[in-house]
Amino acid sequence: MSDDTSDFVVRERAPRRKRTDARRNIESLLEAAKTVFSTVGVDAPAKEITDLAGVGVGTLYRHFPQRSDLIKAVIEREIDACADAAPALAAEHEPGVALAKWLDRFTAFVATKRGFAAALHSGDPAFDGLPGYLMQKLGPALESLLKAATASGEIQARITAQDLLYAVAKLCAPMPNEDPDYGRRMVALLVDGLRSGESPH
Amino acid sequence: MSDDTSDFVVRERAPRRKRTDARRNIESLLEAAKTVFSTVGVDAPAKEITDLAGVGVGTLYRHFPQRSDLIKAVIEREIDACADAAPALAAEHEPGVALAKWLDRFTAFVATKRGFAAALHSGDPAFDGLPGYLMQKLGPALESLLKAATASGEIQARITAQDLLYAVAKLCAPMPNEDPDYGRRMVALLVDGLRSGESPH
DNA sequence: ATAGTTCCGGAAAGAGATTCCGCATACGAC
DNA sequence: GTCGTATGCGGAATCTCTTTCCGGAACTAT
């Protein structure tokens, strides 16, 4: 009780940040998983991933006890990358171009990542949070691009960021035997529809 | 050459139709698989299915060498059942009611069968033929219902069978964190929209 | 440098998928 | 009916991948 550290015991102990080797391994695992997932598929043997990452299996299971944890982490990291691309594109291009380029990037993500659609439809509750995560991360990113493009007069905002995201996501959800470029074209159409002035609707 | 059966060797030999016990087992397996898939999920252990079907594992693997073969067969058989329901409903109900009831049945199929959406998005080429199969089987079925309902003046055909099928299928594709009745409501809305006369659009 | 954690690797155990083959059963010919 | 043969059956054995576990290595704070 009179122990002079007692005041600190109560305080939320900052949980000494993860060891550097641990963080490095997690990084390697995510990178390897991303590669293997897009190569072999999300059901690829764990060994494949750990070998590519250069770690033991134990390490994989310590950081990602469930396979779904790994998949979720990979997808979230890709969503993050997508979100990060927004400011970068905004800095390098005219607002309208930046918007188009970003949507193209997002489309590519949704269209090519089989794992994403599969995860969503797997029925595994572990993935329930993903749509929300996507919305939360990408909503603001798109919103800023949209706002900038509207402000510069290049487009007219006839749609909210949220609706646009959903529309793109659903349009691009890959279907077997569907022209793989179908989604991209639909989105292009959508964006053209946003451009102001030219078409006399 | 002068062998008196030589004429027959060339002819496609009718491959003596499958033994009855084999057909019975296949039937049991499909029935069991349907039950287990909707209970435990499409990734349920094979033993679960064979036990319920009352056959050995070997029998499962003989008739369905790949798991995707089983899944595909189950889905196709449900599609068939859906198609078969059309004439039955048409015989028992007014055309408009029959149409509504059939769409309800189709909706239930798409919405509840996680396996269906999962299969479509799995990326496994084994399932590439499914959308086509669905269209081919269900297209004509819906078309006849639609035609009857139009003829009786209960609805106005503002949409093709194909478009309606796709719309329903996409609307009902289950998404995590989405009101599970959302799809059904959307479809109801769609059908209401087809009813003639009442709303003064 | 040293004590105290945290983390690592990979062997071992477990779970399920898939194969294999001797035996059983149905079919067709007579 | 009965016989010969093709076909199908069951389930033990095998194989593959998953998941656990723990002795020791590596990192951090002092």
Side-chain angles (χ1 to χ4, degrees):
Chain A
M1 288 307 188
S2 57
D3 177 343
D4 64 353
T5 67
S6 63
D7 285 347
F8 298 89
V9 173
V10 178
R11 183 204 294 176
E12 195 75 347
R13 178 186 307 273
R16 177 158 49 165
R17 97 171 189 286
K18 240 184 244 288
R19 268 169 51 170
T20 47
D21 56 345
R23 267 182 299 152
R24 182 160 34 76
N25 281 333
I26 290 176
E27 193 64 18
S28 306
L29 279 169
L30 287 175
E31 203 58 41
K34 177 183 164 187
T35 302
V36 172
F37 283 169
S38 65
T39 307
V40 185
V42 277
D43 291 328
K47 185 107 191 318
E48 198 114 351
I49 297 168
T50 57
D51 281 356
L52 182 57
V55 305
V57 242
T59 304
L60 170 60
Y61 280 92
R62 183 162 331 94
H63 295 303
F64 306 98
Q66 319 267 158
R67 171 162 283 257
S68 62
D69 294 332
L70 217 205
I71 297 174
K72 206 168 48 173
V74 169
I75 292 178
E76 285 181 359
R77 137 187 282 246
E78 294 199 43
I79 290 177
D80 290 349
C82 216
D84 292 344
L89 287 172
E92 292 178 15
H93 300 280
E94 307 262 298
V97 177
L99 175 64
K101 278 188 182 290
W102 188 85
L103 280 178
D104 215 49
R105 195 194 185 302
F106 177 59
T107 301
F109 160 61
V110 177
T112 63
K113 297 308 169 192
R114 270 282 143 99
F116 183 63
L120 277 184
H121 295 94
S122 68
D124 186 331
F127 299 115
D128 282 3
L130 277 183
Y133 186 84
L134 183 145
M135 203 59 239
Q136 174 199 324
K137 282 281 185 169
L138 263 32
L142 176 55
E143 180 125 38
S144 69
L145 290 173
L146 216 46
K147 202 171 286 180
T150 308
S152 78
E154 288 174 73
I155 67 154
Q156 288 182 355
R158 300 199 186 92
I159 193 170
T160 68
Q162 186 153 125
D163 284 349
L164 188 51
L165 269 185
Y166 260 90
V168 173
K170 292 207 162 186
L171 281 173
C172 297
M175 286 271 281
N177 287 346
E178 195 175 78
D179 176 2
D181 219 44
Y182 168 82
R184 184 171 300 242
R185 280 188 283 111
M186 288 294 123
V187 174
L189 224 55
L190 217 65
V191 175
D192 282 349
L194 295 177
R195 299 198 180 290
S196 55
E198 301 178 19
S199 65
H201 288 310
Chain B
M1 288 304 189
S2 56
D3 178 344
D4 64 352
T5 66
S6 62
D7 285 349
F8 297 90
V9 173
V10 177
R11 183 203 293 176
E12 195 77 348
R13 180 185 305 274
R16 181 159 46 166
R17 93 170 189 282
K18 238 184 248 284
R19 273 169 49 169
T20 47
D21 55 345
R23 268 182 299 152
R24 182 160 33 76
N25 281 334
I26 290 176
E27 193 64 18
S28 305
L29 279 169
L30 286 175
E31 202 58 41
K34 176 184 164 188
T35 302
V36 171
F37 283 170
S38 65
T39 307
V40 186
V42 277
D43 291 328
K47 184 109 190 318
E48 198 115 350
I49 296 168
T50 56
D51 282 356
L52 182 57
V55 305
V57 245
T59 303
L60 170 61
Y61 280 93
R62 184 162 329 94
H63 294 304
F64 305 98
Q66 320 266 161
R67 171 159 284 253
S68 62
D69 294 332
L70 218 205
I71 298 174
K72 204 168 48 173
V74 169
I75 292 178
E76 286 181 357
R77 137 185 283 244
E78 294 199 44
I79 290 176
D80 290 348
C82 216
D84 292 344
L89 287 172
E92 292 178 14
H93 300 281
E94 308 260 300
V97 178
L99 176 63
K101 278 187 183 292
W102 187 84
L103 281 177
D104 215 49
R105 192 189 187 306
F106 177 58
T107 303
F109 160 60
V110 178
T112 64
K113 298 308 168 190
R114 270 280 142 101
F116 184 64
L120 277 184
H121 296 94
S122 67
D124 185 333
F127 299 116
D128 282 3
L130 277 184
Y133 187 84
L134 184 145
M135 204 59 238
Q136 175 199 325
K137 282 280 184 170
L138 264 31
L142 175 56
E143 180 125 37
S144 69
L145 290 174
L146 216 47
K147 203 171 286 180
T150 307
S152 78
E154 287 174 74
I155 67 155
Q156 287 182 354
R158 299 201 188 89
I159 193 172
T160 68
Q162 187 152 123
D163 285 349
L164 187 52
L165 269 184
Y166 260 90
V168 173
K170 291 206 160 183
L171 280 173
C172 296
M175 286 271 282
N177 287 347
E178 192 173 80
D179 175 1
D181 218 45
Y182 168 82
R184 183 169 302 242
R185 279 188 284 110
M186 288 296 121
V187 174
L189 223 55
L190 217 64
V191 176
D192 282 351
L194 295 178
R195 298 199 180 290
S196 56
E198 301 180 20
S199 65
H201 289 312

